[in-house]
Amino acid sequence: MPKANKRVRGRRAADHDRRKDHTILEKRLPSQNFVEAHEERVRSSSGMDLNGYIDDHDDLTERLNDYGSGGMVRDPLYNIHSERSYVENIDHSLEDATQVSNNPFYGLLNEEEQEYFRRAGDMLEFNQFNGVDERIHFLANVYREAEGKELKIANSQSCSRLMERLILLSTCDQLKSLFQKFSGHFLQLVQHRFASHCCEALFKKAAAVVSEELVMPFHEQQEAIENIGREIAFVSMENLFLYTLNELEGNLGYLLTDRFASHALRMLLLVLSGRPLENEAAKEFLQSKRKEKITAAAPDGTHSSTGLEQRIIPDSFHQAIDKIMREVTSNMDISAARAIATHPSGSPVLQLLLELEFERDKSQKSQNANAGSLFRKLIPEDLPIAETESATFIKSLIYDPVGSHLVETIVGGAPGKKFKALFKGLFEEQLGVLAKNETAGYVVMRILERLSKDDLQAAIERILPIIETLVEKSRTSIIKTLIERCLVRDIATEQVAEALRAVYGEDDTKRLPTMLGFTDDDLRGPFPEGSKAPQRTPAQIHASFLAQAMLCSQGLLSELIYSSLVAQPHERLLGFATDPIASRVLQVSLTSSSSQPNYRRKVIYPLFGHVGRLALNRHGSHLIDVLWKATDDLSYYKERIADELARSEPALRESPIGRAVWRNWSMDLYKRRKTEWKAKSKEKAFASKGAAINIELPKQAKPGIENARARFAAQKVQRARGKRGKAVTTGSNSIIA
């Protein structure tokens, strides 16, 4: 077995404590002539120096002097002596950087090092460890082996993925150590094709540490400071972020449009703003469609963060955000701002800065919000802006694949007065024309989400005549948004329902298949056993979303879908149950508040005899799960479904999908204590029905017989309470107070 394999597997941990002599490593690195030739090529290609970089370092030293005089907020873990020591430690890296211009050469890993780190990355990726302790020990060994080679690894095409995984699994101390290794080089690293991903992962992982240090008890703060040796400088994670921002200061203008640095800059802005880092809104800013997702399962005892929650951030981060906005707006004129609006890399950063500006204006409510405003850089004229140069600019952005996202940000986040002026001046008259365009349609959806009740009613009159065109062009998302906003604003949807009926036809049997774009092969029945369901197009998926939105409404709009489902032949209904998009429509139809028991009987009955097979299907299993709730008021149907599942127990237990259905239906309890299973199902049905009554009663009055039943149940509860906990039984039902 090669020696590198032994080190990866951790068989000889003692070898990791003995570092190779520097003279031996120098022989394996590229020759001095090669390094000098590379530096010469870098100088001749870039023509840049690091004078501004040294100025940033001098400014950092001045800031530390301000810290001592109370010029800035003092960190609870701050130690002025250790901070100055930290700055002195990065002097050498700054001096080295000046020798190799703006794109320094950090050296290359030799073949043995590359093989070791490649195998280490494979082990971390596939989690090939016997336990948590072995994995923690292995990570410590990898860190010791990477000592002094961090910059080489981050810039390596084959080993940068290992660095990302190490960051994901690092402890707080390891993250700080890596931060300090990168300090003085962030300006170059964020612009590198591979190292930029490492910087992005480092910012994301270290974000939660900032919040943890803010809420850390005082005695733990003192212990953290005392545990640091005198030879090691202690720096809080908050100040490490501020040092990084200081390195990038003065260069944000061109980093904003850099192909690689723009992604790291977006992550840094999200960290400083305290926003969640892994929700859908953040992913729109951070990730491109081609981004490789690097993951690693964190062992116990290491810091892990999902980034889904709102984080606590210090006041200095708010000041840093304001400083970034001032620098960006001061160095950007109107023409530059409008050019960046359509730049593939710069536009997402501009959108994020605009959102942060809108949030700041709402929270501060400053009178001079327009001073130094990024919004003013894009639209300098006073609102409304009809028949102005800004109006022409906004109209051109609406049809641009990149710029339209910026218009969505402005429409969705602008204060009410600004949005009202923009809507009246630019969008109101052209709403129908914009809705028919593939790109501008997304802007129309954001506009509909901001409209008041009166404006929404006027928008309906403009969109109704083009509903047929929207369906033909597969722009059903606009119709879906319109229906959802009508439900929110309590606007009648009969006109929309009549327009959709005219488009999809009067035939109940053909209406839903036509809406979902099904072919004759899709309508033949359930897919053969073992075959894969066909891949659906985006147009079909959006049509399914439209059908689901229609089911959530009351009256004629939902009746169009209910009547079409009931009219389907039994074989076709089974095919719908195993289809990736039609099954979603079936699920919503069975659980929607507008669903009636008579409809559920007609749809569930054809499924009997096929429950076991559906429970093993990827899409049909979700329908079986939904039937638990859909049969709350159909006890006989619920027991019959459970009987079929019990008969298919061997097949269900062999399949992961089947085991999930078995667990969701509590089938173990059904087989052992059937009476208790029935009581449990009735208890859940009663709880869900009570919750539904509390929510829906103000919207729609219940029939007289249901009101009578509710009063009778309330009277029984009162009588039971009067008897101090005794059981009051009536027939087969019993209520315990």
Side-chain angles (χ1 to χ4, degrees):
M1 181 179 295
K3 187 175 182 180
N5 291 357
K6 293 182 179 180
R7 289 188 295 181
V8 172
R9 298 178 182 276
R11 301 300 185 187
R12 298 175 62 185
D15 291 344
H16 294 283
D17 297 330
R18 297 190 295 268
R19 301 273 65 86
K20 295 182 177 66
D21 187 28
H22 291 289
T23 58
I24 300 177
L25 286 177
E26 288 176 358
K27 295 179 181 179
R28 298 176 179 175
L29 295 177
S31 63
Q32 184 67 21
N33 294 333
F34 176 82
V35 176
E36 292 175 355
H38 177 82
E39 295 174 2
E40 183 63 29
R41 287 196 300 270
V42 170
R43 292 191 185 97
S44 60
S45 61
S46 62
M48 299 178 64
D49 56 29
L50 285 183
N51 293 332
Y53 194 58
I54 299 301
D55 293 339
D56 290 342
H57 171 254
D58 295 337
D59 182 63
L60 174 59
T61 307
E62 293 177 1
R63 288 166 179 268
L64 290 177
N65 295 330
D66 294 338
Y67 274 90
S69 59
M72 296 185 68
V73 179
R74 189 181 295 271
D75 187 87
L77 298 180
Y78 178 77
N79 183 295
I80 188 65
H81 174 73
S82 58
E83 298 284 15
R84 292 185 180 278
S85 301
Y86 172 72
V87 175
E88 293 173 358
N89 290 338
I90 68 173
D91 281 344
H92 299 290
S93 61
L94 288 171
E95 294 173 0
D96 295 339
T98 59
Q99 299 176 2
V100 291
S101 185
N102 198 43
N103 296 295
F105 177 68
Y106 298 110
L108 300 174
L109 296 171
N110 58 41
E111 294 183 1
E112 183 181 356
E113 292 169 344
Q114 289 184 7
E115 179 66 15
Y116 170 76
F117 290 124
R118 185 187 66 81
R119 292 181 178 274
D122 292 341
M123 290 195 67
L124 291 176
E125 180 180 2
F126 299 108
N127 198 22
Q128 300 174 348
F129 301 98
N130 296 327
V132 175
D133 294 337
E134 181 181 345
R135 183 174 184 174
I136 294 175
H137 181 68
F138 175 78
L139 288 173
N141 291 337
V142 174
Y143 261 103
R144 284 196 298 269
E145 186 69 22
E147 181 70 26
K149 309 182 186 74
E150 293 85 357
L151 297 176
K152 296 181 184 179
I153 297 173
N155 285 268
S156 172
Q157 179 179 2
S158 59
C159 299
S160 59
R161 294 181 180 87
L162 169 66
M163 179 62 70
E164 290 188 62
R165 289 193 174 91
L166 284 178
I167 291 172
L168 293 176
L169 301 172
S170 295
T171 62
C172 177
D173 293 336
Q174 290 170 340
L175 288 174
K176 289 184 177 182
S177 176
L178 196 58
F179 240 117
Q180 297 182 28
K181 298 290 185 181
F182 283 3
S183 292
H185 306 278
F186 273 112
L187 182 59
Q188 293 77 34
L189 294 178
V190 296
Q191 299 177 72
H192 193 273
R193 179 177 182 180
F194 308 115
S196 60
H197 294 281
C198 299
C199 294
E200 188 176 346
L202 182 61
F203 295 156
K204 183 177 180 179
K205 182 67 177 178
V209 180
V210 177
S211 301
E212 291 179 359
E213 290 183 346
L214 287 177
V215 299
M216 185 185 298
F218 180 77
H219 67 278
E220 294 185 10
Q221 299 176 16
Q222 297 299 321
E223 291 177 0
I225 296 175
E226 293 174 358
N227 290 335
I228 301 295
R230 293 183 177 179
E231 70 281 0
I232 302 177
F234 173 79
V235 189
S236 66
M237 191 64 75
E238 172 190 349
N239 287 320
L240 287 172
F241 273 108
L242 296 178
Y243 296 150
T244 303
L245 181 60
N246 186 79
E247 290 187 40
L248 304 180
E249 185 181 349
N251 302 285
L252 297 177
Y254 74 87
L255 292 180
L256 189 134
T257 56
D258 185 82
R259 179 182 177 186
F260 305 115
S262 62
H263 292 274
L265 186 58
R266 296 173 216 172
M267 176 61 74
L268 186 59
L269 286 171
L270 286 176
V271 171
L272 295 176
S273 64
R275 286 184 164 197
L277 302 177
E278 291 188 358
N279 59 2
E280 293 300 324
K283 289 180 181 179
E284 293 180 2
F285 291 115
L286 297 176
Q287 297 181 0
S288 63
K289 296 181 179 179
R290 296 179 295 176
K291 180 177 175 62
E292 179 184 1
K293 186 176 182 180
I294 303 296
T295 58
D300 296 340
T302 62
H303 173 75
S304 60
S305 173
T306 60
L308 293 174
E309 68 281 350
Q310 202 81 11
R311 291 171 289 105
I312 303 174
I313 57 175
D315 294 336
S316 58
F317 279 15
H318 294 291
Q319 299 172 10
I321 288 288
D322 293 339
K323 183 176 181 180
I324 292 175
M325 290 185 175
R326 287 195 301 269
E327 179 179 342
V328 172
T329 54
S330 62
N331 298 328
M332 185 186 300
D333 56 11
I334 297 175
S335 59
R338 292 181 175 180
I340 295 175
T342 57
H343 193 280
S345 300
S347 183
V349 185
L350 202 62
Q351 297 169 38
L352 182 55
L353 289 173
L354 267 177
E355 287 193 1
L356 296 176
E357 179 179 298
F358 291 148
E359 293 178 358
R360 180 193 62 182
D361 294 344
K362 291 178 182 178
S363 60
Q364 295 179 355
K365 297 181 180 180
S366 57
Q367 299 297 328
N368 56 348
N370 293 331
S373 170
L374 189 59
F375 180 80
R376 276 296 184 183
K377 293 289 185 180
L378 296 169
I379 306 177
E381 295 88 356
D382 293 331
L383 300 174
I385 59 173
E387 305 300 330
T388 63
E389 184 180 350
S390 295
T392 305
F393 167 68
I394 293 295
K395 290 178 181 178
S396 65
L397 285 183
I398 294 175
Y399 296 99
D400 187 86
V402 176
S404 61
H405 292 282
L406 182 63
V407 181
E408 290 183 51
T409 301
I410 294 175
V411 169
K417 292 183 179 180
K418 292 181 180 179
F419 168 75
K420 192 77 172 180
L422 288 172
F423 174 70
K424 293 295 183 181
L426 296 178
F427 305 124
E428 186 175 23
E429 299 295 332
Q430 300 294 324
L431 208 58
V433 178
L434 297 175
K436 292 187 289 185
N437 184 267
E438 180 180 4
T439 303
Y442 293 97
V443 179
V444 173
M445 287 190 285
R446 298 295 172 267
I447 293 173
L448 294 176
E449 293 173 356
R450 291 290 304 270
L451 293 181
S452 62
K453 184 174 182 178
D454 295 336
D455 290 335
L456 185 60
Q457 288 177 330
I460 293 174
E461 299 298 329
R462 297 181 184 278
I463 295 178
L464 279 177
I466 62 169
I467 281 186
E468 183 177 359
T469 304
L470 295 177
V471 173
E472 292 176 356
K473 294 185 176 183
S474 301
R475 309 284 187 267
T476 52
S477 296
I478 298 176
I479 307 174
K480 166 183 169 290
T481 304
L482 186 65
I483 293 173
E484 292 173 345
R485 299 311 299 173
C486 287
L487 297 179
V488 172
R489 298 296 185 187
D490 196 18
I491 298 176
T493 58
E494 282 73 13
Q495 291 179 310
V496 181
E498 292 293 345
L500 290 174
R501 172 183 283 179
V503 173
Y504 291 116
E506 297 286 344
D507 190 348
D508 292 338
T509 306
K510 297 180 179 180
R511 184 182 302 120
L512 185 59
T514 302
M515 179 182 295
L516 299 179
F518 283 173
T519 61
D520 294 338
D521 294 337
D522 298 327
L523 302 177
R524 291 178 181 175
F527 301 108
E529 192 71 26
S531 64
K532 292 184 178 180
Q535 294 292 330
R536 297 305 181 187
T537 63
Q540 291 177 308
I541 295 174
H542 287 292
S544 174
F545 291 154
L546 173 60
Q548 296 172 45
M550 294 170 64
L551 288 169
C552 295
S553 63
Q554 303 286 342
L556 181 59
L557 203 57
S558 59
E559 186 60 29
L560 292 177
I561 307 299
Y562 285 130
S563 59
S564 182
L565 285 171
V566 172
Q568 302 301 319
H570 290 183
E571 289 296 322
R572 186 179 298 175
L573 203 61
L574 289 174
F576 283 2
T578 56
D579 186 85
I581 60 174
S583 62
R584 298 294 184 95
V585 179
L586 268 176
Q587 295 169 34
V588 175
S589 70
L590 292 170
T591 57
S592 175
S593 58
S594 59
S595 177
Q596 298 297 323
N598 189 34
Y599 162 78
R600 294 198 295 274
R601 290 191 186 96
K602 294 179 181 179
V603 172
I604 296 175
Y605 181 78
L607 303 181
F608 289 139
H610 307 276
V611 172
R613 183 172 64 86
L614 291 176
L616 296 173
N617 183 269
R618 177 184 176 185
H619 307 289
S621 60
H622 295 290
L623 179 62
I624 300 301
D625 290 338
V626 164
L627 292 180
W628 172 267
K629 180 180 179 182
T631 55
D632 282 343
D633 52 353
L634 304 173
S635 300
Y636 171 72
Y637 277 27
K638 179 171 289 188
E639 293 181 22
R640 186 169 176 181
I641 294 172
D643 288 336
E644 290 197 30
L645 291 175
R647 291 196 297 268
S648 304
E649 179 181 3
L652 293 177
R653 290 193 179 277
E654 292 179 358
S655 169
I657 298 175
R659 288 195 293 269
V661 175
W662 186 271
R663 181 176 60 254
N664 294 337
W665 273 76
S666 304
M667 291 303 298
D668 289 329
L669 182 63
Y670 176 82
K671 292 192 64 177
R672 297 171 184 173
R673 297 186 293 274
K674 190 173 182 179
T675 304
E676 186 176 342
W677 180 87
K678 291 182 180 180
K680 179 181 177 181
S681 63
K682 289 181 180 180
E683 179 183 353
K684 290 185 177 181
F686 181 79
S688 61
K689 185 177 180 180
I693 291 175
N694 293 336
I695 296 174
E696 297 175 4
L697 188 58
K699 296 182 179 180
Q700 182 180 4
K702 295 293 182 181
I705 185 63
E706 294 191 15
N707 289 331
R709 290 172 180 170
R711 289 195 299 270
F712 182 69
Q715 291 174 0
K716 289 198 292 184
V717 171
Q718 292 294 336
R719 290 197 298 269
R721 290 177 177 174
K723 293 185 179 182
R724 296 181 181 178
K726 294 183 179 180
V728 179
T729 59
T730 303
S732 60
N733 300 323
S734 63
I735 300 178
I736 307 297

